[in-house]
Amino acid sequence: MKILVTGGAGYIGSHTVKMLGRKRHEILTVDNLSTGHREAVLFGGFEKGDIRDRAFLDRVFPAFRPEALIHFAASAVVPESVENPLLYWENNISGTVTLLQAAVRHQVRMAVFSSSAAVYGEPERVPITEDHPQRPANPYGMTKLVGEQILADCDQAYGLKSVSLRYFNAAGVDPEGELGEDREVETHLIPVVLKAAARVKSGKAAGPEHSRGGGAVVRIFGSDYPTPDGTCVRDYIHVNDLAQAHILALEWLSRERRSEVFNLGNGRGYSVRQVVEAARRVTGVRIPSRDEPRRPGDPAELVAGSEKIQKVLGWKAVIPELEKIIATSWGYFSKTAG
Ligand code: NAD
Ligand code: UDP
């Protein structure tokens, strides 16, 4: 299949492009490299450009003539969205609208969209099933919910069929060691913890205030949540298990030709403290941590009910165990960070 992948130079996108390439799909990655890396695109073509740039898209779409779109490109950091919501509306909503206008103009028939568990906000019940009320707790989550709605409207009006995948917390890296998780400013828990472990291991202990996500002390944001140990609970899913779901979604869309929304998680929640402890076990490093105030926009507990995607798409995690997920990342961060 000919697939145009936006954001294919990013963390999840690059892992998915590798998996698609291995399956011999024809791929074109479109990415503005705002957070992605050209060298992470291991298969297919690459066009540097912005999904908000109509002229660029009108050059790229007719030249490649994709049948399908996988849309990863977005701004994707919850606290940043609280500080700068207009950036999120601009990139995630204007970007998605401009991209879908091009997709419709150029007769793309199906799309897979990176949605997020952030669409649910503070859950009323866990595990969260797809029919749970959607009340995002931050602007990032709201842009993902609106993205889903735009796609639902595009199906109704233009017959563009789509699968929205509500990822829970993506984690881990390519077990073959060809890809990583490399952001200029790191805010995600597992990379932050492993970068801290690498710094301790290398003897370069610096305070978190100098860190840009690379300090030797892990800051635990909030220890007064209504969870068993007071810290936030999340459902971590290996990036390759996420990638595999995109392939299953495209195969399903080609067969079924209807739109759907699926959760994508392992159905097991781990607290921030449990993640830090698991990382200590995996790395053998006594990673220091410190309790800090809550981070704005964080729901207490997000755990997926993933029965729907297992039943409908036949998806099953290959690496569901938290320690194994962390171990794949440690293989990367123990070499690159520190
Ligand atoms: P990432 O920042 O590594 O990847 C995003 C990619 O999109 C980058 O390569 C970036 O350069 C590109 N991009 C951003 N804006 C663009 C634009 N206007 N035009 C062209 N390219 C642009 O992030 P990621 O963690 O790989 O996330 C990928 C997608 O998955 C995002 O849509 C994100 O919201 C979603 N998601 C991620 C997680 C997670 O845990 N990482 C969870 C839920 C949803
Ligand atoms: N977190 C933390 N310290 C950090 C980074 C994250 O305590 O340095 C917490 C954060 O508050 C959230 C959880 O870890 O409760 C997961 O955060 P992350 O940014 O990895 O993903 P999110 O759930 O926001 O998408």
Side-chain angles (χ1 to χ4, degrees):
M1 199 185 293
K2 283 181 111 175
I3 306 160
L4 190 145
V5 181
T6 74
Y11 166 53
I12 304 171
S14 61
H15 284 80
T16 307
V17 165
K18 179 176 172 182
M19 203 172 272
L20 288 166
R22 283 268 172 90
K23 298 227 166 193
R24 304 194 175 279
H25 289 289
E26 268 186 82
I27 309 152
L28 178 69
T29 290
V30 165
D31 200 299
N32 67 2
L33 301 182
S34 53
T35 58
H37 308 277
R38 173 66 185 92
E39 63 276 15
V41 183
L42 300 181
F43 286 89
F46 179 81
E47 288 281 351
K48 183 175 176 193
D50 199 295
I51 57 165
R52 293 163 292 183
D53 181 347
R54 179 185 166 134
F56 165 72
L57 297 177
D58 274 341
R59 184 170 63 73
V60 163
F61 272 81
F64 183 60
R65 299 170 59 85
E67 300 157 72
L69 181 68
I70 305 184
H71 178 27
F72 293 106
S75 298
V77 178
V78 167
E80 185 186 49
S81 81
V82 175
E83 282 159 27
N84 191 359
L86 287 176
L87 168 71
Y88 279 67
W89 286 98
E90 160 69 21
N91 204 25
N92 298 2
I93 298 304
S94 299
T96 296
V97 169
T98 306
L99 176 73
L100 291 176
Q101 283 170 331
V104 168
R105 264 198 310 281
H106 298 287
Q107 285 94 40
V108 175
R109 305 300 304 277
M110 50 192 166
V112 181
F113 174 58
S114 301
S115 187
S116 169
V119 300
Y120 294 113
E122 200 61 67
E124 290 169 5
R125 53 180 189 274
V126 286
I128 304 169
T129 48
E130 287 82 356
D131 57 358
H132 184 285
Q134 290 122 45
R135 285 188 289 264
N138 50 63
Y140 166 70
M142 186 55 87
T143 65
K144 290 293 170 183
L145 187 58
V146 173
E148 288 186 9
Q149 184 59 51
I150 294 170
L151 279 163
D153 291 348
C154 285
D155 180 358
Q156 207 274 323
Y158 316 116
L160 175 67
K161 305 294 172 190
S162 64
V163 164
S164 291
L165 296 173
R166 292 178 179 158
Y167 316 154
F168 282 63
N169 288 59
V173 304
D174 175 19
E176 295 173 353
E178 288 188 307
L179 294 167
E181 181 172 13
D182 182 12
R183 300 185 183 90
E184 200 179 324
V185 181
E186 190 51 78
T187 60
H188 292 91
L189 181 63
I190 291 177
V192 163
V193 170
L194 294 180
K195 283 183 166 194
R199 288 189 75 85
V200 172
K201 201 170 161 226
S202 69
K204 289 189 210 155
E209 51 283 359
H210 307 298
S211 69
R212 291 171 68 83
V217 181
V218 174
R219 297 180 291 165
I220 295 180
F221 296 135
S223 45
D224 57 350
Y225 284 97
T227 59
D229 69 15
T231 66
C232 286
V233 170
R234 294 288 182 275
D235 180 343
Y236 295 88
I237 171 166
H238 193 274
V239 65
N240 273 2
D241 287 329
L242 275 179
Q244 175 63 15
H246 294 75
I247 294 175
L248 294 172
L250 284 179
E251 290 168 353
W252 182 85
L253 276 168
S254 336
R255 277 196 316 271
E256 299 286 329
R257 306 222 51 78
R258 66 188 166 88
S259 297
E260 266 300 352
V261 174
F262 297 103
N263 283 343
L264 193 46
N266 279 313
R268 283 200 62 182
Y270 294 92
S271 72
V272 175
R273 280 200 213 292
Q274 284 176 317
V275 170
V276 176
E277 276 158 23
R280 286 176 181 143
R281 285 193 296 276
V282 169
T283 62
V285 175
R286 290 173 62 182
I287 307 161
S289 66
R290 179 167 88 202
D291 287 3
E292 296 230 346
R294 290 183 180 198
R295 195 176 71 171
D298 277 342
E301 186 170 3
L302 294 172
V303 179
S306 278
E307 286 74 20
K308 184 175 169 188
I309 194 165
Q310 292 176 30
K311 209 168 134 209
V312 179
L313 299 192
W315 175 84
K316 192 173 182 304
V318 174
I319 312 181
E321 305 88 355
L322 180 65
E323 288 194 17
K324 284 194 188 159
I325 293 173
I326 293 175
T328 65
S329 293
W330 182 234
Y332 171 74
F333 285 109
S334 58
K335 289 191 203 85
T336 54

